[in-house]
Amino acid sequence: MSLEDCPEPKVSVIVPVYNVEQYLEQCLDSLLGQSYKNLEILTLDDGSTDSSFQILKTYSEKDHRIRLYHWENVGYSETLSRGIGYATGEYLAFCDSDDWAEQNFIESLLHSIESEKADFSIGNYYIFHEKHKKRSVNSKKWIKAALAKTDGKISLGSEYVIFDDAVLWNKLYRTDFFRSLKIQIHGEMATAPDVPVVWCAYLSANKISVTDEMVGGNIIVQNIEENADGSYLVTVKNDLRTTTEDWFYWAFKVEGAQGKKVKFQFSQGNRV
């Protein structure tokens, strides 16, 4: 039986929401406009104090595919964990509510994961630097080339791949595979709590596929500046010192920019 003859599997898309009224409609419109239609969109409002909840309510009344959940603030990690528990689809995807999905987000990743019989698939994405109104491309073609040498599996010598692609939202996972990891999203990490989850997925997968398609866009709002001398200034919270220094070390190492100097400026704050 060919892929064309199989009934379309349901895909669950988890959308954590917290005070993102400025970006939320763009995110929801991009998901409702997917070329692949058999979706359930799990919108998880984590006690927003702006108009995010009302926007979600309006959208959920217009399209039955949007399922709305709301509770008092429990944090990003617990919100994601609850959403994973609510998912009923054969496949699982994530979309941050201040980002957007390309129209072929689900279709291209689903074709990749099914045709390659992979545990999860990866796509390229745009990075939009909001302050400077510039868009760049984060290509995963080099990851595809690296995995081609190891039959689509992370092995000795290819571990560096996981440091460049440790985000949930440019991927599609088999739901049973994701749940089989039996791990919790790290509640103690104040930023990027999904990183260890993605690392675990990489190291546990029997096969990983990569599509050549662009699948989404990530809006960058944090304060990252390139100085005139070519160095970078990163402003982060004091309590993120260890996590951020380690994260940026690996990010710049993998991207081949280790010759750049990275300067850190630490400031106080409650939430990144």
Side-chain angles (χ1 to χ4, degrees):
M1 181 181 292
S2 67
L3 289 177
E4 290 77 12
D5 296 327
C6 296
E8 290 188 337
K10 183 196 292 185
V11 178
S12 300
V13 184
I14 295 176
V15 186
V17 176
Y18 181 78
N19 289 351
V20 286
E21 60 183 7
Q22 180 180 351
Y23 311 101
L24 187 52
E25 291 187 10
Q26 174 184 249
C27 174
L28 295 174
D29 287 341
S30 72
L31 292 174
L32 293 177
Q34 288 296 296
S35 56
Y36 189 85
K37 303 300 183 184
N38 192 13
L39 307 175
E40 64 170 5
I41 303 168
L42 309 177
T43 59
L44 315 172
D45 182 60
D46 188 29
S48 294
T49 58
D50 63 1
S51 63
S52 294
F53 175 70
Q54 187 56 50
I55 293 172
L56 292 175
K57 191 171 183 295
T58 299
Y59 271 76
S60 67
E61 292 169 351
K62 292 180 179 179
D63 196 306
H64 71 279
R65 293 177 298 172
I66 294 182
R67 293 167 55 188
L68 172 57
Y69 298 88
H70 171 76
W71 46 72
E72 294 303 313
N73 185 260
V74 295
Y76 181 73
S77 302
E78 175 63 20
T79 294
L80 284 183
S81 295
R82 292 182 183 185
I84 293 165
Y86 297 146
T88 63
E90 296 174 50
Y91 293 93
L92 188 63
F94 299 84
C95 186
D96 282 354
S97 49
D98 56 354
D99 295 336
W100 77 90
E102 291 290 290
Q103 187 176 29
N104 63 342
F105 169 46
I106 298 299
E107 184 177 12
S108 58
L109 288 173
L110 183 61
H111 180 269
S112 177
I113 197 173
E114 291 198 326
S115 62
E116 297 292 329
K117 295 180 172 57
D119 290 315
F120 70 92
S121 54
I122 305 167
N124 310 304
Y125 58 88
Y126 296 106
I127 300 175
F128 181 71
H129 301 268
E130 187 174 56
K131 183 175 181 179
H132 303 293
K133 306 301 180 186
K134 292 181 179 180
R135 189 174 77 168
S136 57
V137 173
N138 191 315
S139 173
K140 302 304 176 185
K141 290 183 178 180
W142 71 275
I143 294 181
K144 184 174 185 178
L147 291 173
K149 300 175 183 178
T150 57
D151 295 322
K153 186 174 182 178
I154 297 296
S155 61
L156 187 64
S158 64
E159 305 95 331
Y160 61 89
V161 168
I162 70 176
F163 294 107
D164 175 62
D165 191 49
V167 294
L168 286 168
W169 37 258
N170 68 324
K171 302 174 179 65
L172 183 69
Y173 309 83
R174 294 186 186 273
T175 303
D176 56 356
F177 163 75
F178 198 91
R179 288 175 172 158
S180 74
L181 300 177
K182 297 185 184 301
I183 55 176
Q184 293 183 340
I185 295 175
H186 201 313
E188 299 303 316
M189 292 181 67
T191 187
D194 49 346
V195 168
V197 180
V198 178
W199 287 352
C200 185
Y202 261 112
L203 297 173
S204 302
N206 288 316
K207 189 167 188 181
I208 304 162
S209 63
V210 183
T211 178
D212 293 326
E213 301 293 327
M214 303 298 297
V215 300
N218 177 222
I219 299 175
I220 302 295
V221 296
Q222 61 262 45
N223 192 5
I224 304 177
E225 299 287 345
E226 182 169 5
N227 299 320
D229 63 359
S231 66
Y232 289 93
L233 176 65
V234 182
T235 302
V236 295
K237 291 167 51 181
N238 280 327
D239 62 343
L240 304 183
R241 180 183 296 271
T242 302
T243 299
T244 306
E245 286 186 334
D246 184 62
W247 176 253
F248 273 87
Y249 165 75
W250 283 109
F252 280 92
K253 179 178 180 181
V254 170
E255 290 297 332
Q258 57 266 49
K260 299 264 190 176
K261 293 181 180 179
V262 183
K263 302 175 182 178
F264 291 89
Q265 172 178 296
F266 297 95
S267 62
Q268 296 293 340
N270 296 320
R271 186 167 184 158
V272 174

